[in-house]
Amino acid sequence: MPRLIGAAQTVSTGTQSAVITTFNSSGTLTTAARTTEVQYVIVAGGGGGGFGGLNGAGGGAGGYRSSVPGEASGGGASAQSLSPVSGATGYPVVIGAGGAAASQPFTFNTSGAFSSRGGTSSFNGVSTVGGGGSGDTTYVQPGVDSGGSGGGGLGYNRAGGAATSGEGYAGGRGVYTGGSQNGGGGGGGAGAVGVSCPNPAPDQRGYNGGAGVASSITGSSVTRAGGGGGTGRFSSLVQGFGGAGGGGNGAFYLSDGSGTIPGPAATPTAPSGSAGQVAQAGTTNTGGGGGGTSVGPDPAPNPNAGAGGSGVVIIKEPAVSFVDNTSGVWDMNALYDNVKAGTWV
């Protein structure tokens, strides 16, 4: 039996097991008794996809910050320091909602609701900015295209939105050269910029959203915070895919004269033989940006763009080894009592 000079005592050792808690909605983390610091992945809500008169843009991914050793935060930043906490204490956790998608009604003189930025996620003083949405400057709807990662650009020749340092990358540029030459920019991802349409633009097509960032905080690798894909005007012959990590695909269709997107007989060219589809929402609890859409041939009941995916916060309390009953400091009363009892050695 281990023993210190003084009263006989038993030294106990043990380990407080690691605890991983995933918050898909806002709540409170109550730390284990011996926890003094934690690892985290904090992802904000993704931005909604843009609906433009000349092209459609992908929403930006929610801002991404990580303190997992050896992993990355968004925008190419390194992992941050572990977050100091107290044991057996409650800490509020906030999960950002996905940004609203751009929607109908849409005409060339007035506009429906344009997409919005995602909501902020936070834990213990660390917060991430929601992904950028995308308005349409062509029709006097500037929107909010900056964010954790920037929303894609849309209009005649518009750069994608800026990103927040240490959280993500900028969105890609949208270009309208004239007629069928147009393309909407992909939303920025936490791990890569959104793809830009070249200038002059090729025929109608979308551009991919930027990739997200992978983390193994839960024990398996999961990629989060991908940007939304863009789309072309009237028809989108090549699909703009959402970035890896929950980004929504842009609308993908070929006009068949029905006034519907996608038309009943829509068979776009790439991916070859694929049926058309409307813009997709970012995946829930990944912070993915929504896919973009654009106007179809009149009179078209144009569908909405894709909404952004909600954010997520994952917290890991590392295992803690401990040793109890090791004090060798005694007051005089304790010394007297132990000598009298014959337990002082």
Side-chain angles (χ1 to χ4, degrees), residues 9 40 52 58 218 224 281 284 290 342:
Q9 59 182 221
Y40 58 75
T218 61
R224 303 176 179 87
T284 302

Side-chain angles (χ1 to χ4, degrees), residues 29-336:
L29 173 77
T30 300
T31 55
R34 300 176 185 276
T35 301
T36 59
E37 58 185 9
V38 298
Q39 302 171 17
Y40 58 75
V41 168
I42 303 175
V43 185
F51 188 139
L54 301 177
N55 39 39
Y64 184 107
R65 292 187 182 273
S66 171
S67 68
V68 181
E71 294 188 355
S73 291
S78 300
Q80 299 184 295
S81 299
L82 272 62
S83 182
V85 296
S86 298
T89 302
Y91 293 87
V93 177
V94 176
I95 305 301
S103 63
Q104 283 289 309
F106 182 93
T107 71
F108 290 135
N109 297 312
T110 60
S111 301
F114 278 75
S115 63
S116 62
R117 179 185 288 174
T120 297
S121 294
S122 63
F123 163 72
N124 198 25
V126 181
S127 62
T128 53
V129 178
S134 188
D136 186 355
T137 54
T138 310
Y139 299 107
V140 200
Q141 291 286 337
V144 180
D145 58 9
S146 62
S149 291
L154 58 100
Y156 283 105
N157 186 5
R158 184 182 183 186
T164 301
S165 178
E167 296 191 14
Y169 285 92
R173 180 178 294 273
V175 174
Y176 176 82
T177 306
S180 64
Q181 296 177 305
N182 59 76
V193 296
V195 179
S196 292
C197 177
N199 192 2
D203 283 350
Q204 298 106 317
R205 63 165 295 169
Y207 291 86
N208 295 346
V213 173
S215 173
S216 296
I217 188 171
T218 61
S220 58
S221 180
V222 178
T223 301
R224 303 176 179 87
T231 194
R233 182 193 193 201
F234 292 149
S235 62
S236 189
L237 304 179
V238 178
Q239 187 168 26
F241 290 107
N249 294 336
F252 179 48
Y253 53 88
L254 179 66
S255 171
D256 62 358
S258 67
T260 301
I261 298 176
T267 53
T269 58
S272 178
S274 298
Q277 65 175 219
V278 298
Q280 306 296 296
T283 303
T284 302
N285 297 127
T286 66
T293 194
S294 186
V295 295
D298 292 333
N302 302 309
N304 298 342
S310 54
V312 66
V313 173
I314 305 168
I315 301 166
K316 180 177 181 179
E317 302 174 59
V320 178
S321 298
F322 60 87
V323 180
D324 282 340
N325 298 329
T326 59
S327 175
V329 179
W330 308 90
D331 63 27
M332 294 303 294
N333 288 330
L335 187 153
Y336 173 79

